Amino acid sequence: MPQFTLICTDEDQTVTTKEFEATMLNDVVDKTEDFLKGVGYCFEELRTQVYRLPENDDLTSLYRDVDN
C-alpha cells in the first residue's frame, strides 16, 4: 500500500505533518485536502477528475511497450 508523508513548515518554524496510507486516488485527495485546510489554506474543495484513456491512444501503446 502506498505511504504518504505531507510536511508543512510555517514562518514560525512550526512543523505540521500528516502520514497516511491509501490505494485509491480519492482517498489520497481527501487526506491531502484535510492537510491543506489544517495548515491554513482556504478553498472550497479539492477533488479528482479522472478520464479513461481510449484503447487506441498513443499513450496506452507506449505503456504497454515499456517491458519490451
Side-chain angles (χ1 to χ4, degrees):
M1 180 175 294
Q3 298 177 341
F4 297 86
T5 303
L6 304 174
I7 302 170
C8 176
T9 305
D10 67 15
E11 57 275 347
D12 297 332
Q13 299 304 311
T14 301
V15 177
T16 304
T17 62
K18 180 174 184 96
E19 295 181 359
F20 61 92
E21 294 181 350
T23 55
M24 302 299 293
L25 180 59
N26 286 337
D27 293 338
V28 174
V29 172
D30 287 345
K31 292 178 188 305
T32 301
E33 177 183 18
D34 291 343
F35 175 78
L36 292 173
K37 286 182 174 181
V39 297
Y41 286 93
C42 296
F43 55 92
E44 275 191 43
E45 68 178 329
L46 190 63
R47 60 187 168 135
T48 59
Q49 189 168 3
V50 180
Y51 299 99
R52 181 180 295 266
L53 289 175
E55 284 298 318
N56 60 357
D57 188 72
D58 290 338
L59 288 176
T60 304
S61 63
L62 270 174
Y63 287 118
R64 287 188 185 141
D65 294 337
V66 169
D67 293 332
N68 294 338

